[in-house]
Amino acid sequence: MVRQRKVPLRKCVVTQEMKPKQSLIRIVRNKDGEVSVDLTGKMNGRGAYVSRDLQTILKAEKSNVLARHLNTEIDSSVYEELKQLVDSDE
């Protein structure tokens, strides 16, 4: 009998939906306070997940939800990188 592998789920900080980790983008703040987009999902630091969806990213930028989750200022370049990632996916 083949056991189904458990799919790791994470919650999008904007929509509050539980989704498979692969369908989300992780944003991470390291101990130096630098915020970056974590494509590997393995970087050290405090992480927050956002859906791979342009509307969700725009909503995150507008509501400042990432700044609250990571307890730091989020540079606009991080949001630009997220938008480019989503554009390249579609």
Side-chain angles (χ1 to χ4, degrees), residues 39-53:
L39 297 173
T40 61
K42 293 179 171 55
M43 285 169 71
N44 286 333
R46 175 101 171 100
Y49 291 88
V50 177
S51 298
R52 284 182 184 266
D53 171 57

Side-chain angles (χ1 to χ4, degrees), residues 72-86:
T72 187
E73 284 295 309
I74 309 289
D75 195 59
S76 61
S77 65
V78 173
Y79 289 111
E80 287 308 312
E81 194 178 337
L82 286 170
K83 289 173 199 166
Q84 284 171 354
L85 263 172
V86 173

Side-chain angles (χ1 to χ4, degrees), residues 14 16 50 55 57 60-61 67 70 76-77 79 88-89:
V14 182
Q16 302 299 316
V50 177
Q55 291 307 314
I57 290 166
E61 188 172 18
L70 300 174
S76 61
S77 65
Y79 289 111
S88 65
D89 281 357

Side-chain angles (χ1 to χ4, degrees), residues 7-71:
V7 177
L9 295 175
R10 297 291 180 270
K11 187 187 273 189
C12 171
V13 295
V14 182
T15 63
Q16 302 299 316
E17 292 175 284
M18 291 298 281
K19 293 187 171 183
K21 204 170 152 183
Q22 261 62 46
S23 67
L24 298 166
I25 304 170
R26 184 171 187 252
I27 296 92
V28 69
R29 185 200 72 212
N30 65 17
K31 63 182 186 293
D32 300 329
E34 296 163 1
V35 176
S36 56
V37 177
D38 176 12
L39 297 173
T40 61
K42 293 179 171 55
M43 285 169 71
N44 286 333
R46 175 101 171 100
Y49 291 88
V50 177
S51 298
R52 284 182 184 266
D53 171 57
L54 188 58
Q55 291 307 314
T56 307
I57 290 166
L58 293 172
K59 199 169 165 186
E61 188 172 18
K62 205 168 159 183
S63 64
N64 226 2
V65 69
L66 284 174
R68 283 198 303 274
H69 267 272
L70 300 174
N71 295 325

